[in-house]
Amino acid sequence: MKSLLFTFLFLISCNPTKAQENTDVLPKEKILELKNYIKDKDYNQDLAVFINFKIHSGKYRYFVYDLKNDKIVQKAIVSHGSGSVIKNSNRLKFSNIEGSYQSSLGKYEIRESYSGQFGKAYRLKGLDSTNSNAMQRAIVLHSFGCVPDQESQNLACLSLGCPMLSTKAFKETVKILDQSKKSIVLYTFY
């Protein structure tokens, strides 16, 4: 009986469910925190975007998340700001200061799109004190050719503070954002 139980537990640990996979990259408390934040507000209640900056930049750390069914609907590699790099360290630093070239943590409202130097991009309005200067700093969601589609051990290229996706991943996100009747919230955390 013990060996049967051990085998069962071993198989479960080797074959995690989708919910278990989600908690590895998206902690439940961050999802719950965002759900509580958007509740009773005029934001999309079904979808959100998360960026987990704790994850290596060459790995998937950008997630479009279905809040109703608790599942990831898109994952991608996303860059961080060049100023966020701490020399000789795996850690990152964050800032809300213009000219820092650092990424900022917190919740953003993904606003209207526009056509700029990187093609289509979405304005980001910071909703927290840690990212309240996002509009002033021109922190936007956009694509850039140096961001890869596939995970690797290599670090992703760096931005000036904007979250940048690959062209392919950005097109997938565009479909989601443009179909939404209400603003979607992006939550970056570390």
Side-chain angles (χ1 to χ4, degrees):
M1 184 69 173
K2 271 187 182 176
S3 64
L4 185 61
L5 180 60
F6 176 77
T7 304
F8 176 71
L9 292 174
F10 176 77
L11 289 173
I12 288 175
S13 68
C14 291
N15 297 308
T17 65
K18 281 284 183 214
Q20 287 172 319
E21 286 175 15
N22 289 349
T23 59
D24 292 343
V25 294
L26 276 179
K28 286 181 186 174
E29 66 269 12
K30 296 296 182 187
I31 296 166
L32 186 59
E33 185 182 334
L34 187 71
K35 283 180 178 181
N36 287 333
Y37 177 82
I38 64 172
K39 188 173 46 178
D40 303 325
K41 291 188 175 76
D42 198 29
Y43 296 122
N44 186 314
Q45 301 292 310
D46 299 327
L47 292 170
V49 178
F50 293 88
I51 298 175
N52 183 348
F53 281 125
K54 274 270 192 221
I55 298 172
H56 178 282
S57 71
K59 303 293 182 185
Y60 298 135
R61 60 183 186 164
Y62 169 95
F63 307 97
V64 178
Y65 194 77
D66 179 337
L67 296 166
K68 295 295 182 203
N69 298 302
D70 284 316
K71 67 178 186 175
I72 294 169
V73 294
Q74 181 191 359
K75 56 187 174 183
I77 294 167
V78 64
S79 66
H80 56 260
S82 60
S84 288
V85 176
I86 300 172
K87 204 171 191 168
N88 301 322
S89 174
N90 291 331
R91 294 181 38 244
L92 298 175
K93 58 185 176 178
F94 303 91
S95 175
N96 192 26
I97 298 171
E98 191 166 354
S100 68
Y101 301 131
Q102 293 179 31
S103 296
S104 298
L105 299 177
K107 294 174 280 303
Y108 298 84
E109 177 186 356
I110 303 175
R111 305 282 300 260
E112 72 281 355
S113 66
Y114 70 97
S115 186
Q117 74 181 79
F118 301 106
K120 187 169 187 167
Y122 292 87
R123 297 184 200 287
L124 297 176
K125 178 184 176 189
L127 301 172
D128 294 318
S129 61
T130 54
N131 63 7
S132 58
N133 293 327
M135 297 284 270
Q136 174 187 325
R137 293 178 63 203
I139 301 299
V140 299
L141 177 63
H142 65 88
S143 66
F144 199 62
C146 67
V147 181
D149 284 316
Q150 299 301 316
E151 290 184 301
S152 76
Q153 292 305 313
N154 300 326
L155 297 172
C157 58
L158 299 171
S159 72
L160 299 180
C162 297
M164 298 187 313
L165 299 171
S166 72
T167 303
K168 182 180 174 186
F170 186 72
K171 284 179 182 173
E172 196 175 327
T173 289
V174 164
K175 288 179 196 169
I176 294 165
L177 295 177
D178 288 353
Q179 287 176 2
S180 180
K181 297 196 183 342
K182 293 186 177 185
S183 294
I184 292 175
V185 173
L186 162 67
Y187 186 13
T188 64
F189 60 91
Y190 187 72

